[in-house]
Amino acid sequence: MKFNKSLNLLLVSLEALLVNSEKVTFKVLAVNGTPTLNIEGGQQYKMNVKEYPLYTVEADINSFPVKYNYILNYDNGQNEIEEFMRQRNKDDDSLNEFFNRSVTVLEHPQLPKAYKAFPHYVPSKLYDDTHIATIIVKCDPNDLQGLYQNLDDEGLKINAEVIYANPYGVKTYKNTYLSLGGQSTKHAPKLSYKIKNLKNDKNKELFNRSSIKLRAEHMDPSFLRDKLYGDILNSLGVPAAQNKLARLFINGEAIGLFDITDPINNNRYLRETFNKGKKYKNENPIFKADYCYSSCSDRPVYGDLGYYGDDATNPMYSIYTYKGEDKSSDSDSHFINELLPLIKDINAYTSGATDKMPFDIDIFLRYMAMEYLAGAIDNYWNKPGNYYVFKDLSKDQWYFHDTDFHFSFGVGGDEDLMLNTPLSNYPPTLDDGVERSRPPLDSILSHSENKEKFVSIFDRLLKTSFHPKAILPRLDSLANLIREDAYWDFTLPRVSQSDSQIDTDLIFEKSDFDSHVSNEEPEARYGNMPIKYFINTKSDLLAKELGIMIPENFENDLGYVENPNQTSNANAKMIWSIYTILISFCLAMILY
Ligand SMILES: *[C@@H]1O[C@H](CO)[C@@H](O)[C@H](O)[C@H]1NC(C)=O
Ligand SMILES: *[C@@H]1O[C@H](CO)[C@@H](O)[C@H](O)[C@H]1NC(C)=O
Ligand SMILES: *[C@@H]1O[C@H](CO)[C@@H](O)[C@H](O)[C@H]1NC(C)=O
């Protein structure tokens, strides 16, 4: 880059000769009101809307670094000034800042890979996690009331316009559908949402995603458990829904901080994850499994993937739901034609009738290792449910796909058991009437070579991405990025109008965020455990049980899980310099 540097130097000196003040663009996102740029010891500039909610202005700057902040002028004549100063250096990019948030972009320590990336997966720039996105929804207020009053109406969706803004740009989707998300969490005061049909006039999607979920994380004052879990799954090279945080506004009203994530059964997600982004020719089968303790039948029913005979009306089979897009036959027929044969194949493997396990064994064991290490109380191994099974017909391959990890790392109940139960006694918490057997897992582990493989996955995890020196600095950095937004979330009124609300006593404040992300002591309010305490303790306990020596520093022989950066600034800057040089050159020729 020496060449580039000296050219830059040349250009800078050239500029200095020509002008002594510089035009600098300032950009800020403001959901309500009109912002004014306030230069310390200098002028104020009223800003203009460029593309709502983005406001910009060019200011003459004589010396760097320049200190400034923004003032928000509301329609009712009131003003609000940011309580902190921002700073811009000469070469800094002009990014879209967010009013009242001091952090715009923060790079995090990356996680060392435990295994190579899943080979059929392409990352989406939507999940560049070095910033918080802003999502602004506009919809008919009466439609919205309708959603809030009919929480249990599964199919209910309303028309909405969605604006997605981040430090680099603003994208608008005029014809999306907004609906509510979550199952057990639907009656919590803070709701979760889904947005579908994210396609603009040119049929372009949101960074290769047409549908997203906005998870409320109402039980997790760190907002980061789903995210951390997903990041470690990325390091394990298994298919995984991605996560990134976003602040949500609906019709001008602040709703809160949410985890953006992928709906697993969405076609776009599936092809980006399992087929390198290439469109599938066929409708692939996909099913979701749940866990239902008392409300579904007179006994608990759950998706253990066990064989309960050929009668498809067995209550244990009622827990699987077809989630694909083929409407030519109903869910029951899909079960009989696609899932029941899978269950029988698993059973044949269990009984020794075949050597072929229909799932990829390595991937399945990696998910299970992570469930154990993260204390995932609400996932397959402990409570068989909360996962999908997907068949890629073009590869003739079934995949187990784990999902939904907010109850982990010391929240979700029975925290002591989830932390302290040895691997040899796992799973610990058995609801009455729920069997211990997990047919595919048990039969995989009954082969001694697989048992060794399982131990080697734990060994690898403890030395790479689950190593406290790898994951905890990343946690610190993510927490620094979202802290102001987390605090803000706790102050907001909740919009649910359910008259049978759950978890109304879970009211978090700043100190809950702080203890969950940084405390190394065992206790947090509501019986929870802080993430750091959980990870440190779990890693020590398992290392002792399996006789693993955790090295002083993590291993990174496979490199790191890369963040899908939205802009590679280095490249953008270089291209810009080349342009400037070319133009200067042409000008020089003309003048000459
Ligand atoms: C800006 O942040 C301060 C401090 O956190 C807070 O008191 C104030 O309400 C915020 N204003 C807006 C418009 O978010
Ligand atoms: C979308 O997917 C295509 C094909 O996989 C890829 O080339 C492109 O970079 C992706 N775009 C974004 C914004 O991630
Ligand atoms: C993202 O940016 C970081 C820091 O600039 C860099 O180390 C990394 O290689 C980039 N990743 C990609 C995928 O471009």
Side-chain angles (χ1 to χ4, degrees):
M1 279 307 112
K2 255 195 185 146
F3 171 70
N4 192 25
K5 247 191 189 156
S6 37
L7 277 176
N8 263 337
L9 210 74
L10 201 100
L11 280 171
V12 168
S13 15
L14 212 103
E15 268 170 36
L17 278 178
L18 297 176
V19 284
N20 45 22
S21 90
E22 198 172 316
K23 289 228 178 289
V24 176
T25 306
F26 292 83
K27 306 185 198 169
V28 70
L29 300 166
V31 180
N32 296 310
T34 309
T36 294
L37 169 68
N38 176 46
I39 306 275
E40 190 179 65
Q43 243 177 295
Q44 292 193 345
Y45 297 81
K46 192 115 194 137
M47 302 180 78
N48 300 308
V49 70
K50 182 152 185 235
E51 178 184 6
Y52 174 82
L54 175 61
Y55 293 78
T56 67
V57 75
E58 259 193 354
D60 293 311
I61 303 298
N62 307 322
S63 73
F64 290 94
V66 55
K67 292 210 166 139
Y68 65 100
N69 60 7
Y70 299 105
I71 300 166
L72 203 51
N73 314 107
Y74 293 108
D75 293 343
N76 64 8
Q78 287 194 323
N79 296 325
E80 181 155 19
I81 184 159
E82 289 179 333
E83 287 166 12
F84 55 92
M85 292 313 283
R86 299 169 184 269
Q87 179 167 318
R88 178 84 64 84
N89 294 309
K90 193 170 168 67
D91 289 329
D92 287 353
D93 294 311
S94 148
L95 299 176
N96 305 338
E97 298 170 301
F98 191 88
F99 182 77
N100 223 20
R101 297 294 185 276
S102 65
V103 186
T104 303
V105 169
L106 186 62
E107 277 178 22
H108 312 297
Q110 294 173 328
L111 282 187
K113 283 183 187 160
Y115 295 95
K116 285 194 203 123
F118 186 61
H120 310 296
Y121 156 72
V122 274
S124 161
K125 293 179 166 61
L126 173 62
Y127 294 104
D128 175 348
D129 61 17
T130 58
H131 58 261
I132 301 178
T134 300
I135 294 181
I136 298 175
V137 175
K138 291 185 208 164
C139 56
D140 181 322
N142 293 322
D143 290 353
L144 189 64
Q145 282 309 307
L147 264 192
Y148 291 164
Q149 284 161 1
N150 296 284
L151 301 177
D152 294 313
D153 183 346
E154 274 291 327
L156 190 59
K157 57 183 185 185
I158 66 173
N159 295 317
E161 175 184 315
V162 167
I163 299 172
Y164 175 93
N166 72 10
Y168 312 102
V170 175
K171 294 170 186 280
T172 303
Y173 302 88
K174 290 207 156 66
N175 303 304
T176 74
Y177 300 112
L178 179 74
S179 57
L180 296 178
Q183 287 181 315
S184 55
T185 57
K186 255 197 176 150
H187 288 271
K190 186 178 173 192
L191 299 170
S192 291
Y193 300 84
K194 282 190 232 165
I195 299 172
K196 288 190 182 164
N197 201 41
L198 284 158
K199 289 183 185 166
N200 67 15
D201 320 339
K202 293 176 194 122
N203 222 18
K204 282 270 281 193
E205 293 151 331
L206 178 65
F207 303 107
N208 290 340
R209 291 295 195 271
S210 59
S211 184
I212 54 173
K213 290 202 216 181
L214 297 169
R215 282 162 71 85
E217 307 293 348
H218 84 273
M219 72 302 288
D220 175 10
S222 79
F223 293 85
L224 289 171
R225 286 179 165 86
D226 260 318
K227 166 80 183 141
L228 281 186
Y229 200 116
D231 288 354
I232 300 175
L233 289 182
N234 284 339
S235 86
L236 277 167
V238 297
Q242 303 297 301
N243 302 272
K244 178 241 200 81
L245 289 136
R247 41 183 97 89
L248 173 68
F249 298 82
I250 302 182
N251 292 340
E253 193 185 342
I255 306 295
L257 181 63
F258 289 79
D259 180 54
I260 304 184
T261 190
D262 294 304
I264 309 290
N265 62 323
N266 174 258
N267 255 327
R268 198 61 215 239
Y269 166 76
L270 288 171
R271 77 187 226 212
E272 295 298 316
T273 305
F274 290 94
N275 207 34
K276 285 251 166 211
K278 280 201 298 293
K279 210 169 180 155
Y280 280 116
K281 291 200 185 70
N282 300 310
E283 238 358 287
N284 291 311
I286 181 165
F287 295 84
K288 177 154 197 278
D290 290 305
Y291 179 96
C292 190
Y293 186 61
S294 55
S295 54
C296 302
S297 169
D298 51 4
R299 50 159 295 186
V301 291
Y302 47 92
D304 62 357
L305 289 168
Y307 176 62
Y308 295 93
D310 284 349
D311 179 2
T313 64
N314 187 302
M316 284 296 274
Y317 292 150
S318 66
I319 205 74
Y320 304 101
T321 319
Y322 176 73
K323 291 283 186 182
E325 292 193 357
D326 174 43
K327 303 281 183 282
S328 65
S329 49
D330 61 9
S331 187
D332 290 347
S333 318
H334 278 288
F335 176 81
I336 293 168
N337 296 328
E338 292 151 356
L339 193 61
L340 193 53
L342 169 70
I343 289 174
K344 284 181 167 178
D345 286 349
I346 293 173
N347 189 50
Y349 174 81
T350 303
S351 69
T354 165
D355 281 344
K356 188 170 168 359
M357 169 67 200
F359 300 140
D360 182 312
I361 288 177
D362 294 58
I363 290 179
F364 185 65
L365 290 181
R366 290 179 205 170
Y367 282 127
M368 293 305 118
M370 185 57 193
E371 285 191 10
Y372 176 75
L373 274 177
I377 185 166
D378 203 17
N379 294 92
Y380 178 79
W381 200 354
N382 190 60
K383 282 189 184 176
N386 263 341
Y387 65 89
Y388 287 78
V389 284
F390 169 67
K391 185 174 194 181
D392 183 331
L393 292 170
S394 66
K395 302 182 187 73
D396 192 25
Q397 176 68 53
W398 278 102
Y399 294 95
F400 180 92
H401 191 316
D402 218 349
T403 184
D404 206 349
F405 308 115
H406 50 206
F407 289 130
S408 62
F409 297 113
V411 308
D414 287 320
E415 285 82 358
D416 271 318
L417 282 173
M418 294 316 293
L419 178 63
N420 293 309
T421 304
L423 185 58
S424 55
N425 279 343
Y426 199 78
T429 50
L430 298 171
D431 286 333
D432 265 356
V434 178
E435 298 297 325
R436 276 191 85 85
S437 68
R438 304 286 176 264
L441 180 62
D442 298 344
S443 48
I444 288 172
L445 292 181
S446 69
H447 295 80
S448 64
E449 73 276 15
N450 291 334
K451 209 152 192 170
E452 280 164 33
K453 191 174 257 177
F454 202 32
V455 171
S456 77
I457 294 169
F458 284 114
D459 181 89
R460 187 72 188 149
L461 265 173
L462 293 186
K463 291 173 177 169
T464 57
S465 52
F466 207 84
H467 192 294
K469 283 194 179 157
I471 189 72
L472 300 187
R474 184 171 171 84
L475 169 61
D476 287 333
S477 184
L478 287 164
N480 289 338
L481 174 67
I482 72 164
R483 177 170 283 104
E484 292 165 318
D485 285 274
Y487 289 175
W488 164 77
D489 179 284
F490 301 145
T491 67
L492 298 174
R494 301 305 182 201
V495 295
S496 172
Q497 291 171 17
S498 164
D499 42 24
S500 53
Q501 294 199 8
I502 58 159
D503 288 349
T504 46
D505 53 333
L506 277 187
I507 297 170
F508 294 118
E509 28 191 89
K510 291 178 181 180
S511 57
D512 294 300
F513 175 83
D514 292 337
S515 71
H516 275 248
V517 299
S518 53
N519 210 334
E520 307 212 4
E521 301 303 313
E523 297 293 325
R525 293 204 299 152
Y526 306 116
N528 296 162
M529 283 174 186
I531 300 174
K532 285 191 177 174
Y533 172 75
F534 193 93
I535 290 177
N536 284 331
T537 313
K538 192 73 177 182
S539 136
D540 285 349
L541 288 173
L542 184 66
K544 278 206 193 80
E545 183 180 352
L546 297 179
I548 295 169
M549 288 290 291
I550 300 181
E552 177 64 20
N553 279 308
F554 59 82
E555 292 171 2
N556 62 353
D557 48 303
L558 289 178
Y560 295 86
V561 181
E562 281 205 11
N563 174 53
N565 300 337
Q566 206 203 312
T567 54
S568 169
N569 288 335
N571 280 345
K573 264 188 189 155
M574 192 154 94
I575 290 168
W576 182 240
S577 319
I578 292 171
Y579 266 133
T580 334
I581 291 157
L582 275 177
I583 288 170
S584 322
F585 183 74
C586 294
L587 266 177
M589 293 300 283
I590 292 165
L591 289 176
Y592 187 77

